[in-house]
Amino acid sequence: MAKRKKGGGHREPDGRSFVEVLRRPSVGVEASTGRAWVGVDQQVGHGSADALFALTAEQYAAVLAGEGLGSFEGECWRGGHDDLLLFHPGGGSWRPERWHPARTRMLPPRFEGELWWHVDALGEPADDPRAAVARSLAAGADGADGADGQHGTGGTGGTVFRLTGEGAHPRPAALIGGLGPGSDRARARAVLGEPLEEDGDAYAVEGDLVRLGYVDGGLATIALERPAPRPLSAEGPVRALLAALGEPEGGPAFREVVRLAGGAHRRWAASSGFSRRLLAFDGGAAVQTEDGRVLSVRLPASGLLPGSRAEVHRVLGAPSDRHGPTDLHRYGARDLLVGYGSEFDSARPDAAPGTLTAVLRGVSVSHDLHRWRSGEFTLFLDVLGRPEADPLVGQVRALPGVRLALRRGLVSEVVVGDRGHRAERLAAFVDGMPAAPARQDVPFGLPHHRGDRDDLREFAQGWIHVHAADGRTVSTVTVAQEPPRVH
């Protein structure tokens, strides 16, 4: 077992792989050994992070079934189980070297368990990271190497997990929390809800199918299937929202979404270390992008969909899955989630749709994304390393008073303030910054490096270099891939 290690110190390379299955509390599996763990909060410097303590198979199954761990977490926190410690944060590493976090589901899940990793890997190429994690969780089980349609066929395919006997899944009670080997059909309905057909054993799970197999009335197999893609028959705004997913920010499909959303928006960063952007529109719409591509679009449903849930179903077809006030309509790799207000009101057939969210399948987005800073600096960071023909680069090039530098056909830096439109560009660089800013008016916190006339700050995608010729008032701001020399 790893010893409790506090403070600094050199860490040897760690080949273990920690896969998170449940977020609160953080629970998962160390894939190389198959051992389950729970994260217990620890004080680290001025912050906190989880130490990971080993669980028994019974404890792991219990917490996934919602039964909790009793006093175990408190005992670990007080140092009572250091012999079970697998990882302790500190020494510059708050997470294990190979850490695979569980993602937040767009549709609230009916159950917790390892099956969600297999849902996300279904149909993905064999070399996709999600498929690799799913295979590691099923190591030793029949089909875990990709045979029989498991993880990586690239088609709709399916996966069958045996819960007992030779070739069974290594943690059969952890695939679906609360539903282990030998469970009866009544227990399955209590965990998964009603089956798709009366007296049937197939259940909808985020647009996919979970089919349960029984031997002598006891659960023996769990099969995961992906139905054939459903064609999108709806025209108009719904098609436009779905068409924009995965497309370049600034491209034709994106511009159509901007038109539907109302045009005026602010482009927010969550932090200096997070590359996802939130485009918040004045009318309530929101778009999230990452790496220059559209991840999700969220609009008020008024004017885009019919006025009742029953009418929406006539236009879009029956939902692929639903949970309380939210319906999921899946169209291949694109998901459409329609929200109908409160859970009580949504039960009525005449419930009016309130929100419409289009998102790429397998992607999680939160439209309560923390809004740290907004302004053109987000654009400038995002075009670094992009080719001149990229739509986002064209958008930046069209801004007055902006100079782009290219290296081997790719944007290497963006400079504002050195000629023309100085006040306009500096004021827009970060929303709320004055037109003639002093060095201390740049609201990014303390610089990583500071010289007599220069401040340098590191972001996830590059560097922001603020130069003040007189040592006080900002002359130019350069956003660059490589850190310039500070004087």
Side-chain angles (χ1 to χ4, degrees):
M1 293 297 167
K3 298 298 183 183
R4 183 181 294 269
K5 185 173 183 177
K6 300 181 179 179
H10 175 69
R11 287 184 182 274
E12 296 296 327
D14 191 345
R16 297 175 300 169
S17 178
F18 291 85
V19 181
E20 188 180 45
V21 175
L22 179 64
R23 293 172 63 90
R24 292 185 181 84
S26 182
V27 173
V29 175
E30 198 289 290
S32 67
T33 61
R35 192 155 193 187
W37 51 261
V38 61
V40 178
D41 189 62
Q42 305 283 307
Q43 186 71 29
V44 182
H46 296 291
S48 64
D50 280 348
L52 308 183
F53 291 84
L55 295 174
T56 65
E58 293 74 20
Q59 286 175 312
Y60 182 45
V63 71
L64 291 179
E67 298 172 10
L69 291 170
S71 62
F72 182 76
E73 292 170 272
E75 294 167 5
C76 290
W77 185 80
R78 291 189 292 272
H81 297 290
D82 277 7
D83 58 319
L84 301 178
L85 186 65
L86 300 180
F87 171 84
H88 193 277
S93 179
W94 284 20
R95 292 288 193 193
E97 194 170 325
R98 298 174 65 191
W99 172 255
H100 306 281
R103 75 176 183 90
T104 302
R105 316 304 301 188
M106 292 299 296
L107 198 67
R110 290 187 175 89
F111 65 89
E112 302 292 352
E114 294 180 23
L115 193 71
W116 289 117
W117 278 99
H118 300 287
V119 168
D120 289 342
L122 190 62
E124 297 297 331
D127 59 354
D128 184 274
R130 291 168 294 188
V133 171
R135 286 195 301 271
S136 73
L137 288 175
D142 283 350
D145 60 354
D148 300 325
Q150 171 144 349
H151 311 319
T153 64
T156 53
T159 306
V160 178
F161 299 99
R162 298 180 187 175
L163 304 189
T164 60
E166 186 177 356
H169 189 275
R171 293 165 302 281
L175 279 167
I176 299 176
L179 199 59
S183 296
D184 60 19
R185 286 179 168 86
R187 180 60 182 167
R189 284 168 168 77
V191 173
L192 297 175
E194 291 301 314
L196 294 176
E197 298 178 0
E198 189 175 354
D199 297 327
D201 294 314
Y203 298 82
V205 177
E206 279 195 4
D208 294 321
L209 295 179
V210 168
R211 197 177 301 277
L212 306 182
Y214 296 85
V215 174
D216 296 330
L219 183 64
T221 61
I222 297 175
L224 180 62
E225 303 172 12
R226 174 151 292 163
R230 177 189 299 183
L232 176 62
S233 57
E235 297 290 341
V238 171
R239 182 180 290 276
L241 300 191
L242 293 169
L245 299 177
E247 291 299 306
E249 182 182 353
F254 171 81
R255 292 197 297 271
E256 176 60 19
V257 167
V258 170
R259 186 189 67 79
L260 290 170
H265 64 271
R266 296 175 71 181
R267 199 171 189 274
W268 289 89
S271 73
S272 62
F274 195 51
S275 60
R276 189 170 292 187
R277 308 297 184 215
L278 171 65
L279 283 62
F281 290 77
D282 294 345
V287 175
Q288 285 194 31
T289 66
E290 191 167 36
D291 297 328
R293 300 281 168 173
V294 177
L295 293 183
S296 72
V297 183
R298 183 172 187 258
L299 272 71
S302 177
L304 303 180
L305 287 176
S308 73
R309 198 170 200 166
E311 291 172 340
V312 171
H313 290 177
R314 279 195 289 272
V315 172
L316 299 180
S320 304
D321 198 1
R322 62 188 298 176
H323 186 280
T326 305
D327 287 349
L328 168 67
H329 299 265
R330 172 160 291 174
Y331 304 97
R334 295 171 170 86
D335 285 347
L336 188 72
L337 294 107
V338 185
Y340 290 89
S342 72
E343 188 162 356
F344 175 79
D345 292 337
S346 69
R348 306 193 318 267
D350 62 344
T355 58
L356 189 61
T357 303
V359 61
L360 288 170
R361 186 188 69 217
V363 170
S364 293
V365 296
S366 170
H367 290 282
D368 294 323
L369 190 71
H370 175 62
R371 301 184 185 193
W372 176 59
R373 295 283 183 267
S374 62
E376 291 180 349
F377 79 95
T378 60
L379 278 173
F380 303 156
L381 285 166
D382 288 350
V383 298
L384 294 178
R386 296 195 170 278
E388 192 171 7
D390 187 281
L392 206 58
V393 175
Q395 184 176 330
V396 171
R397 187 183 291 280
L399 295 172
V402 174
R403 178 170 60 84
L404 292 177
L406 285 84
R407 181 182 304 153
R408 296 177 181 174
L410 305 178
V411 176
S412 60
E413 65 178 33
V414 183
V415 183
V416 298
D418 61 345
R419 64 183 185 208
H421 303 276
R422 181 175 181 277
E424 176 186 347
R425 288 281 76 81
L426 290 178
F429 185 74
V430 185
D431 290 336
M433 196 163 75
R439 291 167 70 177
Q440 61 268 25
D441 290 328
V442 181
F444 293 142
L446 294 175
H448 291 84
H449 304 285
R450 185 176 178 88
D452 292 337
R453 300 185 299 277
D454 302 275
D455 297 327
L456 192 60
R457 295 174 174 87
E458 184 178 7
F459 284 64
Q461 293 156 290
W463 298 80
I464 292 181
H465 173 211
V466 175
H467 175 67
D470 61 3
R472 299 183 301 278
T473 304
V474 175
S475 306
T476 61
V477 180
T478 301
V479 180
Q481 287 183 302
E482 301 294 333
R485 297 181 62 182
V486 173
H487 301 289

